[in-house]
Amino acid sequence: MYTLTGLKLKNPTILAAGVLGTTGASLCRVAREGGAGAVVTKSIGPTPKTGHSNPSMVKLDCGFLNAMGLPNPSYPSFLQELEIAKKDSGVPVIASIFGGSPAEFKEVAEGLLPGKPDAFELNVSCPHAEGYGAAVGSNPCLVEAITAAVKDIVSVPVWVKLTPNVSDITCIGNAAESGGADAVVAINTLKGMAIDIESGYPILGNRSGGLSGKAVKPVAVKCVYDLYTALEIPVIGVGGVSSWQDAVEMMMAGAAAVQVGSAVYDRLDIFSEISTGIEAFLQRKGYSDVKELIGLSHEMV
Amino acid sequence: MLPLNATIVRINEDSPSVRTFFFDPQFETMKPGQFVMVWVRGVDEVPMGLSSKNSITVQKVGEATSKLFELKEGDSFGLRGPFGNGFSLPSKGEKTMVIAGGVGAAPLAPYAEAVRNAGSEVHTVLGARSAGDLIFEERFAEAGEVYVSTDDGSKGKKGFVTDVLSSLNLSVYDRIAVCGPEIMMASVFRLLEDRKVLEKSEFSLHRYFKCGIGVCGACCIDRSGLRVCKDGPVFSGVQLLDSELGKYMRDASGRRVKI
């Protein structure tokens, strides 16, 4: 067992928000068949949203480009899915939420409380939804106010997911910490775009979106490294993790746990594969606890 | 995979609301039942079952398909795929039943042809609203025997495919492949369950897709959590036991909508 912000995880791999998290059944499948130590839901907002028109996700040679547009059924409709995930997944379920203001975040968090999520993850980092996500998450004052507003009404841990699309991610991380965040999650996708040269049309329905997958891993490692230095609270690493080696690297940079998103494209049991790989690595290198890896690189000078 | 540029080489009018768009390139290795994501540039991208190695057969139902109907030979659209799992092919000497309703005939016509080419006998139950709405009757007839039903009785048996099935001995078939409107598939599902032949069946499901590549989770079905785009769209009847089939589906926002 592994403890993260008070949550008990059977391993340090977590399903990232926005991936296979729209239904309770799908979250259960990722936990049971996939082997995730915890799961984060699709980001849920105050009103139903259908998201951007398709194409909403394409695979590139170096990763994935997506612009879903925060599609979600809103908190009243999502409660039944959250309840299914809580009842049958057997792992901690973290509710990802978004809003355009501290009041909206508060409304959504309050609305999901009857579903008893084990923690909340505040999405202040989606790069392609007007008025939401990174639009609020690049303003430190707003991030602090939103974090404080949610902390004020919930008794479970609150994680804040950060955008890398800012000049200094530690400044936003500090704001989350000042607002009372129990952990930060880094990183969300990097702004990106692809164009169909046959027609000249941008490929994504939203014209541009966010880059995930292998290409963003070095960016994520650097962000996690910097946040580990700047903050007292745990940093959860996410961005391009698709093997146990990636997970170990992220932890050495300072991640207390890793989230996996796009890599479910290749296989659902990527979570089991990563946690088994980490265990074997610990044994081979003679570490007694996975916690010995966290931030290791900072000492290697 | 970025969208391929597909140029329309021919358009066939299959019924007043259904057209087949033949395109260049061809998907030589496609398995019947697999789908492609069809990108009508500037509008939307929608999933379509392949009706041959180089065609999609489309019913005009919404914005993207309406725009597609405005395209002419020589025009182009984007294509990604083929994606998902197709219908499983029989061994030589097996007997296969194909049950197709409306535009659900699209992925089943190449399947019936592949079944015949594999040396398996194929019988088709083909249903539609009326005679003019029957899709690919000739292709199915070329592959084997065809039983027709129409809602209005303008051709074949008056009624639904289940009315034809009720008078057939289904235990002689080794495989049963089904595609059509969800209400029809749910009725067929119940009938196959009653006849105790569900374990021989496969159904092709239709759900709202966003990513189309198994990552976002918009098309997951209850209670298995299986993804229609990646684990499907063809599922065995057994996989669909205790599922949402015929009861509800989720819309683009993820809300459950009754069927």
Side-chain angles (χ1 to χ4, degrees):
Chain A
M1 268 306 167
Y2 179 79
T3 309
L4 177 67
T5 67
L7 306 187
K8 298 231 179 314
L9 275 58
K10 63 181 183 208
N11 70 63
T13 68
I14 305 168
L15 173 72
V19 175
L20 302 179
T22 303
T23 73
S26 159
L27 289 163
C28 290
R29 186 168 175 237
V30 173
R32 294 184 170 278
E33 284 176 46
V39 291
V40 183
T41 69
K42 177 81 192 157
S43 292
I44 304 302
T47 51
K49 265 170 81 79
T50 54
H52 300 312
S53 59
N54 286 343
S56 52
M57 186 168 192
V58 289
K59 189 176 185 299
L60 312 172
D61 291 335
C62 63
F64 297 86
L65 203 54
N66 91 81
M68 296 290 162
L70 296 171
N72 82 96
S74 78
Y75 63 85
S77 295
F78 191 69
L79 261 183
Q80 58 184 338
E81 308 294 346
L82 183 57
E83 282 160 5
I84 291 167
K86 275 292 296 175
K87 189 165 143 291
D88 295 330
S89 69
V91 302
V93 179
I94 296 95
S96 173
I97 61 172
F98 74 92
S101 63
E104 276 190 2
F105 269 92
K106 219 168 140 170
E107 178 194 339
V108 178
E110 221 158 18
L112 288 177
L113 276 178
K116 298 192 173 52
D118 294 284
F120 283 95
E121 182 178 286
L122 313 185
N123 179 351
V124 290
S125 43
C126 172
H128 46 75
E130 215 173 309
Y132 297 111
V136 296
S138 48
N139 177 341
C141 299
L142 211 42
V143 168
E144 185 175 340
I146 286 166
T147 310
V150 176
K151 277 298 286 183
D152 201 32
I153 55 150
V154 307
S155 54
V156 294
V158 173
W159 304 351
V160 180
K161 187 165 178 180
L162 307 176
T163 174
N165 301 307
V166 290
S167 50
D168 181 4
I169 195 168
T170 62
C171 165
I172 311 295
N174 276 315
E177 190 171 68
S178 304
D182 297 276
V184 293
V185 182
I187 55 176
N188 206 314
T189 54
L190 283 149
K191 283 187 189 181
M193 187 171 185
I195 291 167
D196 173 44
I197 62 165
E198 288 294 331
S199 64
Y201 271 99
I203 292 173
L204 292 174
N206 185 52
R207 304 184 76 79
S208 67
L211 181 66
S212 66
K214 284 192 191 303
V216 311
K217 197 191 71 179
V219 179
V221 169
K222 169 66 173 155
C223 288
V224 167
Y225 187 90
D226 290 350
L227 287 162
Y228 181 82
T229 306
L231 308 184
E232 298 292 321
I233 54 175
V235 182
I236 298 164
V238 56
V241 175
S242 62
S243 66
W244 67 263
Q245 291 93 334
D246 294 339
V248 167
E249 184 184 4
M250 201 65 101
M251 295 181 97
M252 287 183 169
V258 295
Q259 292 188 349
V260 178
S262 311
V264 304
Y265 172 84
D266 296 310
R267 54 203 177 281
L268 200 64
D269 63 358
I270 180 80
F271 303 92
S272 310
E273 192 186 302
I274 290 175
S275 62
T276 312
I278 293 175
E279 283 303 320
F281 178 75
L282 293 176
Q283 223 163 41
R284 175 161 69 84
K285 302 291 278 187
Y287 295 111
S288 58
D289 192 313
V290 67
K291 295 204 165 163
E292 288 176 44
L293 297 180
I294 302 170
L296 185 75
S297 299
H298 293 260
E299 293 154 30
M300 307 309 287
V301 287
Chain B
M1 163 198 253
L2 295 179
L4 294 168
N5 188 59
T7 304
I8 300 171
V9 294
R10 185 159 57 89
I11 301 173
N12 249 12
E13 192 136 335
D14 302 300
S15 87
S17 65
V18 176
R19 283 182 198 169
T20 296
F21 296 81
F22 291 90
F23 51 76
D24 181 33
Q26 302 211 11
F27 296 110
E28 291 299 340
T29 57
M30 81 93 168
K31 298 183 184 76
Q34 284 192 304
F35 69 94
V36 285
M37 293 298 284
V38 179
W39 178 33
V40 186
R41 294 178 178 109
V43 184
D44 206 352
E45 187 195 44
V46 288
M48 292 285 164
L50 286 164
S51 57
S52 76
K53 283 174 184 169
N54 68 327
S55 70
I56 48 169
T57 298
V58 183
Q59 185 161 31
K60 192 172 163 180
V61 287
E63 196 190 0
T65 50
S66 298
K67 283 282 175 192
L68 200 55
F69 269 51
E70 289 172 16
L71 300 183
K72 307 269 178 291
E73 285 172 18
D75 290 342
S76 69
F77 47 78
L79 270 188
R80 292 191 293 151
F83 293 134
N85 296 312
F87 291 101
S88 53
L89 285 169
S91 315
K92 199 176 164 77
E94 287 187 347
K95 280 185 94 165
T96 302
M97 161 67 70
V98 164
I99 305 169
V103 78
L108 286 173
Y111 178 67
E113 289 159 358
V115 167
R116 182 205 52 200
N117 292 342
S120 168
E121 197 179 339
V122 56
H123 293 173
T124 301
V125 177
L126 180 65
R129 264 175 298 184
S130 68
D133 297 310
L134 289 162
I135 309 293
F136 297 143
E137 190 183 353
E138 307 76 22
R139 286 177 73 182
F140 289 112
E142 192 94 343
E145 196 171 340
V146 182
Y147 306 90
V148 167
S149 76
T150 51
D151 300 3
D152 64 2
S154 50
K155 189 163 186 185
K157 190 167 180 76
K158 184 178 187 321
F160 305 116
V161 290
T162 41
D163 296 313
V164 175
L165 291 170
S166 61
S167 59
L168 294 177
N169 176 12
L170 297 177
S171 60
V172 302
Y173 297 98
D174 302 287
R175 274 158 215 283
I176 302 171
V178 192
C179 186
E182 184 122 341
I183 302 251
M184 167 226 150
M185 289 204 293
S187 311
V188 171
F189 185 92
R190 285 191 295 271
L191 186 141
L192 299 186
E193 220 181 349
D194 286 346
R195 301 280 196 91
K196 307 207 182 325
V197 291
L198 192 67
E199 73 278 6
K200 297 175 178 178
S201 68
E202 290 183 321
F203 291 76
S204 176
L205 257 62
H206 179 83
R207 285 294 179 272
Y208 179 77
F209 287 177
K210 279 200 94 68
C211 78
I213 55 176
V215 177
C216 79
C219 66
C220 290
I221 52 168
D222 289 340
R223 296 171 55 194
S224 59
L226 292 168
R227 300 160 292 186
V228 174
C229 73
K230 188 135 176 176
D231 303 306
V234 176
F235 294 101
S236 71
V238 174
Q239 280 178 301
L240 297 173
L241 278 165
D242 195 25
S243 76
E244 66 182 48
L245 175 76
K247 300 183 186 108
Y248 60 86
M249 55 173 74
R250 287 180 173 80
D251 67 9
S253 77
R255 276 177 298 182
R256 295 179 189 186
V257 181
K258 276 207 172 86
I259 288 166

